[in-house]
Amino acid sequence: MEFIVLPDHPAAAAVFALLPHRDGNKVVRHPSGRPWVIGSWHDEELTAASAGSNAVVLLGRTRIDETELARKLAAMRSVTDIDSLSRSLHGCFHLLASIGGQVRAQGSLTTVCQVFYGSVAGVAVAADRPQSVAALSGAATDEELVALRLLSPTAPHPLSQACLWRGVTSLPQGHYLLMSANSAARAVRWWTPPEPSVPLAQGADNLRRALEAAVETRTAHSATVSTDLSGGMDSTSLCFLAAPRAARLVTYHHVPLDPSNDDGIWAARCAVDLPDARHVTEHSGMAPAWYAGCLSTDEDVEGPFPLIRTRAKLDHLAQTMAALGSTAHLQGIGGDELFHARATCAHALARAHPLRSVRQVRVVRSVSRWTTPATIGYLLSGGTYARWLRSSAAHLGPEPRKQATGPAWESPPAMPVWATPRAVSAVRSLIRAAADGEPDPLAPLPVHHDMLSVAQLCGEMTRRASRFTARHGISYEAPYLDDRVIEAAMSVRLQDRIAAGRYKPVLATAMRDVLPAYARGRATKGDYSGELYGGLRQHRADLLELCEESVLVGMGLVDRVALRRLLLGLHPDTSPFMAFDSTLACELWLRSLHRDNRSGTTAPHPPHREEI
């Protein structure tokens, strides 16, 4: 899927004329008759309805049909009225509305569906990818922001959503883009995080229903659906939810290299309880190793590819599942981010209900291996999000802080040891400038801000991965990242999210009538360091070759000697390679831009044949 959105304004015709032509692309017109949504998509990805001077288009996965959508649209009088429609829909999609000459465009909360916008010849233009807007305006990439992408695990909010294309803006979370009749555009907030007030039993029921609907939207239009079956609770839950809903189900399990990793044992046990599914199991050597294809550039130049170390394996997975007839592959990304016990949860609970939080604090202390003084210091700490940003800038260096400090609104950002002083200084200045703007956090509570921050990172991974797998005719789906699922998870009371002796208690309770008891009681988690070390051994020469003519080195952002030291050194754990993945992704993105001496932008093309 790829599209551009134009306002209902006479001047938009000039922008429409700028679009290059390609046979087979489509257009949806405003009720006025002017071009509105231009691009390419599968028929089953579009749900549209109109009523008088109003129209709504949903592009993506949803359960609502056109008759019901038209009924709801008939009651709408303004773009604000669309709020109630948006809150009622399940699935993952872009929502576009043309109401009385005004246009509303929004994506999903986690940015699996994202909106980017800018101005072309004085006309507001929106799209599902930034390079589409940049191609129309002639904008180049913003090299000043490249250093931000070296941060690990990611840049902090709001810099995490900073667009790498000049003059193009990404829509903030919980906002829609209002494109008014005078062709101007602004972001308008429509969503705020729910209060964590729902008891576990009710919250788990809400979560189960939301997950059932999320899976149903992926199975309704697909003859064959595939799912990961890693053996973990997240992907296994999706398998058991999909089994009674999919016409045909295929599961995929890659046997881990480490013999102590028991994922395979759990996956095999679950496969027995899914007798109607086809189970595909692959061993080492049947799929590409990590870092395979690390010299390859890519045509999707939105930004650095966040799953760079497993890009070749992702391509292999898409080919394998597509050959078996699957058109949608479900995977459990987002489950860890929503349901793991978080230190910020214990922090919020301790400040609101000190006595009630004792058990949860003990669990977090044990898992985090904190000393008593460090734990007490964490619980007593406080401060605004802007203050945390300033602290992050002040402590910015090659390693995140290991001691318990808080409240950690997000994982503390760190620059890699191979980043030059120039790169570190530039990033520190950007974070300080962001803090000086006193930005609002994603949510009032640090625990919710943290959840939304990592969910956004998962959303970017899914959005980019799905474009990659779509080349083989298969979409990469993340039901845990649907809006209704996010809301259900965030609504559960803080005291119910952490339980001694229980792994992911909220998800386990929600799946009590779906998963076998043994799958809900698993207390281990597989380690995949063997895959990283193995991939590094196989592809070290290619990775070293990247160092020799590195664009990042040429920009003065990376020290070649320090980077080679990482690749040639011995490492007791894999933690340095999270930062390396960010660097590798940046390097390959920059090479993709410079591949054939052009900007690398690719704009969707207007309908040459088909109109809707």
Side-chain angles (χ1 to χ4, degrees):
M1 182 192 305
E2 187 174 4
F3 62 86
I4 279 178
V5 181
L6 299 179
D8 190 4
H9 189 275
V15 178
F16 183 69
L18 292 175
L19 297 173
H21 291 268
R22 179 183 295 169
D23 289 347
N25 278 291
K26 304 170 183 177
V27 62
V28 178
R29 293 187 176 273
H30 288 286
S32 66
R34 298 186 181 106
W36 176 20
V37 188
I38 306 103
S40 61
W41 51 81
H42 297 297
D43 290 342
E44 63 270 18
E45 293 178 307
L46 177 112
T47 306
S50 60
S53 62
N54 299 338
V56 170
V57 167
L58 307 178
L59 279 168
R61 303 276 184 175
T62 182
R63 285 199 305 180
I64 195 169
D65 59 28
E66 294 186 349
T67 300
E68 178 65 10
L69 185 60
R71 187 188 67 80
K72 289 179 176 289
L73 178 62
M76 306 295 169
R77 297 292 179 267
S78 69
V79 291
T80 305
D81 293 339
I82 299 293
D83 287 4
S84 60
L85 172 66
S86 183
R87 292 189 179 100
S88 70
L89 297 176
H90 291 271
C92 188
F93 48 85
H94 286 90
L95 187 157
L96 311 171
S98 180
I99 309 292
Q102 290 191 317
V103 173
R104 170 171 172 159
Q106 69 186 62
S108 58
L109 296 175
T110 60
T111 75
V112 174
C113 296
Q114 177 62 308
V115 173
F116 301 90
Y117 63 99
S119 178
V120 178
V123 176
V125 174
D128 66 327
R129 54 194 76 190
Q131 63 266 40
S132 298
V133 180
L136 292 170
S137 64
T141 54
D142 192 338
E143 292 189 349
E144 292 182 359
L145 297 178
V146 172
L148 273 176
R149 296 303 184 100
L150 298 178
L151 281 168
S152 177
T154 185
H157 166 77
L159 296 171
S160 58
Q161 296 298 301
C163 185
L164 290 170
W165 297 86
R166 291 195 181 117
V168 183
T169 303
S170 57
L171 192 63
Q173 186 184 70
H175 289 68
Y176 63 80
L177 182 68
L178 176 63
M179 306 168 76
S180 60
N182 64 4
S183 82
R186 61 185 176 92
V188 179
R189 176 174 287 280
W190 73 273
W191 182 87
T192 54
E195 289 293 324
S197 58
V198 180
L200 179 60
Q202 179 185 346
D205 286 344
N206 294 341
L207 175 63
R208 187 194 69 255
R209 287 191 291 270
L211 280 171
E212 288 172 341
V215 171
E216 190 174 299
T217 65
R218 274 80 176 180
T219 58
H221 301 290
S222 302
T224 301
V225 169
S226 55
T227 65
D228 281 351
L229 180 53
S230 68
M233 190 187 299
D234 304 329
S235 66
T236 303
S237 296
L238 298 180
C239 290
F240 279 86
L241 286 168
R245 294 172 173 82
R248 183 170 178 263
L249 178 66
V250 179
T251 74
Y252 177 83
H253 177 76
H254 185 85
V255 178
L257 282 172
D258 188 346
S260 67
N261 186 330
D262 60 349
D263 276 1
I265 297 173
W266 292 92
R269 190 173 180 184
C270 291
V272 172
D273 286 321
L274 294 166
D276 296 329
R278 175 170 181 175
H279 302 290
V280 176
T281 300
E282 292 190 334
H283 294 266
S284 177
M286 299 174 70
W290 289 15
Y291 296 117
C294 59
L295 295 178
S296 302
T297 56
D298 194 72
E299 64 189 50
D300 180 12
V301 290
E302 175 183 316
F305 190 70
L307 295 172
I308 197 68
R309 68 166 65 158
T310 55
R311 184 177 58 175
K313 186 174 181 294
L314 179 64
D315 187 68
H316 169 80
L317 171 66
Q319 290 186 62
T320 302
M321 295 297 102
L324 295 174
S326 176
T327 56
H329 185 78
L330 280 59
Q331 39 78 49
I333 188 170
D336 285 344
E337 291 71 18
L338 292 181
F339 304 116
H340 257 315
R342 312 184 80 80
T344 45
C345 182
H347 180 277
L349 184 59
R351 295 172 74 83
H353 307 285
L355 295 179
R356 193 185 303 171
S357 69
V358 172
R359 183 177 300 175
Q360 286 82 0
V361 169
R362 285 175 176 169
V363 171
V364 170
R365 180 192 175 212
S366 175
V367 170
S368 305
R369 299 181 180 180
W370 289 346
T371 64
T372 298
T375 304
I376 294 173
Y378 177 86
L379 297 177
L380 293 178
S381 64
T384 65
Y385 181 67
R387 178 182 172 185
W388 179 84
L389 274 179
R390 292 187 183 94
S391 175
S392 296
H395 291 87
L396 190 67
E399 293 291 340
R401 293 173 301 234
K402 300 293 186 182
Q403 68 271 25
T405 59
W409 288 82
E410 301 177 26
S411 296
M415 290 292 280
V417 294
W418 51 87
T420 62
R422 173 188 171 188
V424 175
S425 177
V427 171
R428 183 179 290 116
S429 295
L430 288 168
I431 296 176
R432 283 174 173 163
D436 289 343
E438 298 292 330
D440 291 329
L442 295 171
L445 289 175
V447 60
H448 278 175
H449 173 95
D450 191 22
M451 289 174 68
L452 291 171
S453 174
V454 293
Q456 278 189 342
L457 178 59
C458 291
E460 181 185 2
M461 292 178 182
T462 303
R463 178 176 77 245
R464 301 293 303 284
S466 193
R467 289 183 201 154
F468 193 78
T469 60
R471 300 166 193 176
H472 299 290
I474 190 166
S475 62
Y476 196 66
E477 300 288 341
Y480 289 109
L481 300 181
D482 283 9
D483 289 3
R484 304 289 83 79
V485 177
I486 295 291
E487 290 172 337
M490 295 182 73
S491 296
V492 176
R493 294 185 308 189
L494 299 176
Q495 59 264 40
D496 293 328
R497 301 184 194 180
I498 304 173
R502 294 193 69 192
Y503 180 66
K504 299 183 179 178
V506 176
L507 181 60
T509 304
M511 294 293 104
R512 61 188 179 275
D513 296 324
V514 176
L515 280 183
Y518 63 81
R520 288 182 280 116
R522 183 183 177 185
T524 58
K525 186 171 180 64
D527 176 77
Y528 285 84
S529 56
E531 279 71 12
L532 188 145
Y533 290 131
L536 181 61
R537 283 193 300 271
Q538 289 187 46
H539 302 291
R540 195 190 311 269
D542 288 340
L543 293 170
L544 287 169
E545 183 179 330
L546 281 174
C547 295
E548 295 311 310
E549 297 183 3
S550 168
V551 180
L552 288 167
V553 170
M555 293 172 65
L557 299 178
V558 164
D559 183 295
R560 178 184 287 111
V561 174
L563 188 56
R564 285 179 57 87
R565 190 180 301 124
L566 169 84
L567 296 173
L568 293 171
L570 298 176
H571 305 281
D573 62 64
T574 61
S575 57
F577 288 91
M578 179 181 290
F580 174 69
D581 286 354
S582 299
T583 299
L584 176 61
C586 282
E587 178 68 29
L588 291 176
W589 175 68
L590 288 166
R591 291 182 177 216
S592 296
L593 291 176
H594 302 152
R595 181 174 46 199
D596 47 14
N597 297 318
R598 61 183 177 83
S599 67
T601 58
T602 54
H605 307 286
H608 196 54
R609 299 271 178 94
E610 181 178 355
E611 297 212 3
I612 300 173

